[in-house]
Amino acid sequence: EGLDPTIQSREIVFDAEVDLVSPFLKLATVSRDGAGHMTFACDEGPSLGGLGSAPTPLMYFSAALAF
């Protein structure tokens, strides 16, 4: 399917559900078409009022750019 030269467009849809654990600590569960669920934790550092218990949003963004 991915190598079919007649395919001219694709639609990729991700669903995300985010739960607030504390003011800055969040858990996001992401899936694609209802399958492949992955859960990510995100937090800010203590200097911004978070706990520093998980990567910051900017860390995830930076990693996404590197991939």
Side-chain angles (χ1 to χ4, degrees):
E1 177 182 330
L3 301 176
D4 185 347
T6 62
I7 296 175
Q8 296 185 9
S9 66
R10 297 180 190 277
E11 180 177 293
I12 300 172
V13 178
F14 289 95
D15 295 309
E17 181 179 321
V18 178
D19 296 310
L20 184 65
V21 178
S22 69
F24 291 101
L25 177 60
K26 298 172 184 74
L27 294 176
T29 301
V30 181
S31 65
R32 179 176 172 193
D33 296 326
H37 293 82
M38 298 295 290
T39 300
F40 303 87
C42 185
D43 196 5
E44 291 290 355
S47 64
L48 294 175
L51 303 172
S53 63
T56 66
L58 191 53
M59 289 176 178
Y60 279 115
F61 181 72
S62 299
L65 291 176
F67 289 131

